[in-house]
Amino acid sequence: MIGFAVCFVFAEQIYVFLLRPYEQAVVAVRGPEGLKSMGMIFTGPMEFFIVKVKVALFGGICIAFPMIAYQAYRFIAPGLYSHEKKAFYPFLIISPLLFAAGAAMAYYAVMPTLMQFSLRQEIPAGATTAAVSYLGRVADYTGTMTMLILGFGICFQLPVVQVLLGRAGLVSAEQWFSMGRYAIVGIFAVAAVVTPPDILSQIILAIPLCILYYIGAWVVKASEKKADKEAA
């Protein structure tokens, strides 16, 4: 709620920040002059206000994510031994960093590419044909952008989940590697749900997740070797 209140005060500035990937796509496709005729619209009296509320909620979640991760740790900490607590500390740093990496990828790579692809689908007016042009709504654009940022940020937590399950003894490194082919299919299925209905953004999310999956498997394997040496 504190994060929401702060972000609501700056909701317009946050929306302008979220709009920059679209502006970059317009400049890339139509040039700087295209910004004059390619603005966003809203079609309902309260639509942009509701968008600002959603933007503030989205910003509040991002701001609160480190605290949410810390509270999750506080919830399970009483059930951990002292050495297990020490092993858990790095994840309190790594998890927000991975979330930030996923969000940055969605903002700086996926959304500009997606918008450029969309704008290139326009059909100019001809002598006997009507023009087909993009007319963006603030609600649609904001929904797509926030879904991508949150989806990428959450999906990038995959290595953290793998290592935690490995240290809990629930899934071994050998099992992670043996399930690789099924994991790849599952990753592409999840990417299809998280991203907009286009193959481009699905692939952009799925490939890094596949890489992160095997990084997580190798980290689990390294942890198992270290545990075996300490036990010996």
Side-chain angles (χ1 to χ4, degrees):
M1 291 302 296
I2 293 173
F4 169 81
V6 172
C7 290
F8 187 75
V9 175
F10 301 98
E12 288 189 17
Q13 290 86 338
I14 296 173
Y15 183 81
V16 170
F17 175 76
L18 295 176
L19 200 59
R20 286 178 184 171
Y22 171 71
E23 295 170 348
Q24 294 171 359
V26 171
V27 172
V29 176
R30 289 195 171 186
E33 294 297 322
L35 292 174
K36 297 179 181 180
S37 59
M38 293 291 291
M40 290 284 172
I41 66 168
F42 57 93
T43 57
M46 296 294 290
E47 181 177 337
F48 191 48
F49 174 79
I50 295 173
V51 166
K52 290 193 286 186
V53 172
K54 291 180 179 180
V55 165
L57 180 61
F58 162 75
I61 292 173
C62 292
I63 291 175
F65 184 81
M67 181 58 68
I68 294 171
Y70 176 69
Q71 291 297 328
Y73 165 75
R74 288 285 303 274
F75 178 75
I76 66 174
L80 301 176
Y81 294 107
S82 58
H83 68 280
E84 292 175 333
K85 291 180 181 179
K86 292 179 180 178
F88 200 90
Y89 290 151
F91 296 106
L92 297 179
I93 300 174
I94 294 173
S95 182
L97 289 178
L98 285 173
F99 183 90
M105 184 175 183
Y107 180 84
Y108 290 105
V110 178
M111 199 61 186
T113 303
L114 176 62
M115 292 311 304
Q116 284 190 42
F117 179 80
S118 299
L119 293 177
R120 294 186 192 280
Q121 306 307 306
E122 293 182 324
I123 301 175
T128 58
T129 58
V132 177
S133 58
Y134 176 81
L135 190 61
R137 291 177 60 236
V138 293
D140 293 338
Y141 178 82
T142 305
T144 301
M145 174 63 87
T146 54
M147 180 184 67
L148 282 175
I149 291 178
L150 291 177
F152 272 64
I154 293 172
C155 287
F156 268 51
Q157 304 300 309
L158 178 60
V160 174
V161 175
Q162 288 178 272
V163 174
L164 290 177
L165 291 176
R167 291 193 173 184
L170 298 177
V171 186
S172 66
E174 182 180 353
Q175 289 174 312
W176 286 123
F177 284 114
S178 64
M179 293 187 297
R181 66 185 67 181
Y182 306 107
I184 291 174
V185 175
I187 286 171
F188 272 88
V190 171
V193 175
V194 172
T195 59
D198 66 277
I199 189 67
L200 183 63
S201 55
Q202 178 188 8
I203 293 175
I204 293 176
L205 174 59
I207 291 177
L209 283 183
C210 291
I211 296 173
L212 287 173
Y213 176 87
Y214 282 100
I215 290 176
W218 280 107
V219 172
V220 173
K221 186 174 182 178
S223 299
E224 290 176 350
K225 289 183 178 180
K226 181 179 180 181
D228 292 340
K229 289 181 180 179
E230 290 176 353

